[in-house]
Amino acid sequence: MKTKKRIIAISASLIFSFLTLPAFAVSPDQPDNNPPKSLEEYCKTAPCRKNHSFRLKQKDGTFFNYSSELDPPVVQPAFLLIFPGEEVFIEASEGKDAPQDLRHVPQNIHPERTLVFKFSQPDDA
């Protein structure tokens, strides 16, 4: 039971951290002196996600609901943006100290170089 509560707390923390972040991040190949003016502009050249929603059960039994017509890509320069209920596949090459060249892929075709992330909340949470 403690583990479930800890997972819920971590998931909620990640969500609220995301909600306080800027709407998009500048990619490494984009000069810092010319960032996009809006998420819509950024998504013209980035693999953004569309029509995404999720809900999380809160301590008092009510639900936190999130819905968005447009969200930034999963892979960001300094972090991965993963929503509750989502399973994502990230292909990477082996770096000296950490995985590098992260790329969001639709399927786990190359398990030897694919990281799998899935956030979920048990029904009885």
Side-chain angles (χ1 to χ4, degrees):
M1 189 67 164
K2 265 187 169 179
T3 304
K4 287 182 184 179
K5 287 181 181 179
R6 177 177 249 169
I7 291 170
I8 293 167
I10 292 170
S11 296
S13 175
L14 290 170
I15 293 163
F16 293 117
S17 295
F18 160 71
L19 294 175
T20 61
L21 290 171
F24 51 87
V26 176
S27 65
D29 59 337
Q30 188 170 18
D32 288 341
N33 60 354
N34 192 20
K37 292 180 175 45
S38 69
L39 180 59
E40 290 78 12
E41 182 181 319
Y42 176 69
C43 292
K44 288 179 182 176
T45 59
C48 293
R49 296 176 284 177
K50 297 178 181 175
N51 301 317
H52 191 84
S53 64
F54 63 85
R55 71 184 209 160
L56 285 176
K57 191 172 185 179
Q58 301 180 101
K59 284 183 181 182
D60 64 2
T62 61
F63 288 92
F64 168 79
N65 294 298
Y66 175 85
S67 181
S68 176
E69 291 181 16
L70 193 60
D71 287 307
V74 172
V75 177
Q76 295 291 313
F79 60 90
L80 297 176
L81 179 57
I82 304 169
F83 293 114
E86 201 170 36
E87 181 175 32
V88 297
F89 305 104
I90 306 295
E91 283 190 3
S93 57
E94 189 175 336
K96 182 179 176 187
D97 298 319
Q100 63 185 28
D101 304 320
L102 304 179
R103 188 169 60 97
H104 180 215
V105 294
Q107 297 177 18
N108 187 357
I109 296 173
H110 305 284
E112 70 280 2
R113 65 176 183 237
T114 303
L115 303 167
V116 180
F117 297 92
K118 183 174 183 175
F119 285 127
S120 62
Q121 182 181 46
D123 291 336
D124 61 351

